[in-house]
Amino acid sequence: MKSKPIGVIGSSAPSDKHYDYAVRVGKLLAEHGLMIVCGGLGGIMEGVCKGAYEAGGLTVGILPDDAPESANGFVRIAIATGMGQARNKVIINTCKAFIAISGGYGTLSEIAFALAAGKPVIGLETWNIEGILKADSPERAVELVLERLS
């Protein structure tokens, strides 16, 4: 069975709480056999990759620059695009659903692309906009993703 790619997006400079949420989300997604796709750098991206990596999951980083070595240490597959922020569209096209954890304008742009593409976005203490399904914990965020995949 092919692993379904799930995008996790969020702040590159999260609070400790949000980083811990990302680690937990990564672990839970990996335990369900789901592939993590993210921007591959630090913050939420590193946290989700760390959780998934430690649980034996597959982590893919779609990097904004042209240097695979810029990926965080928990990315198993680094894809260096050299596309800057435009790589966000690659992430959106690749994934079946998204979990957004905290985040700034970069996260907002990914949320907008995902919603415009008709893909589910689960929000964990992120932007409060129409279309985002709210979760109050990492566990609930993963439950909502799994419901959308079935």
Side-chain angles (χ1 to χ4, degrees):
M1 180 172 104
K2 287 171 107 175
S3 178
K4 293 185 176 155
I6 305 302
V8 180
I9 56 182
S11 176
S12 59
S15 67
D16 289 345
K17 173 185 171 184
H18 291 142
Y19 185 88
D20 291 344
Y21 279 179
V23 172
R24 183 79 180 132
V25 162
K27 179 179 187 297
L28 292 168
L29 290 171
E31 287 173 350
H32 285 285
L34 299 169
M35 175 177 32
I36 306 302
V37 177
C38 68
L41 300 176
I44 294 300
M45 298 170 280
E46 177 186 293
V48 72
C49 288
K50 179 179 191 228
Y53 186 95
E54 291 176 350
L58 179 58
T59 57
V60 178
I62 311 289
L63 301 163
D65 56 30
D66 58 5
E69 60 275 6
S70 70
N72 72 63
F74 304 104
V75 169
R76 292 188 191 269
I77 299 172
I79 300 171
T81 68
M83 297 172 64
Q85 291 281 335
R87 67 76 153 84
N88 291 350
K89 187 69 169 121
V90 175
I91 295 168
I92 300 312
N93 291 346
T94 301
C95 297
K96 302 292 182 199
F98 296 86
I99 297 176
I101 304 170
S102 69
Y105 293 127
T107 304
L108 179 60
S109 75
E110 290 175 283
I111 290 169
F113 282 140
L115 293 174
K119 298 189 178 184
V121 178
I122 313 308
L124 187 55
E125 296 185 12
T126 192
W127 293 87
N128 185 21
I129 58 174
E130 186 178 341
I132 296 177
L133 303 167
K134 292 184 182 183
D136 59 2
S137 69
E139 291 76 15
R140 183 64 180 142
V142 172
E143 281 176 19
L144 288 168
V145 163
L146 293 171
E147 289 171 11
R148 294 321 164 282
L149 295 177
S150 56

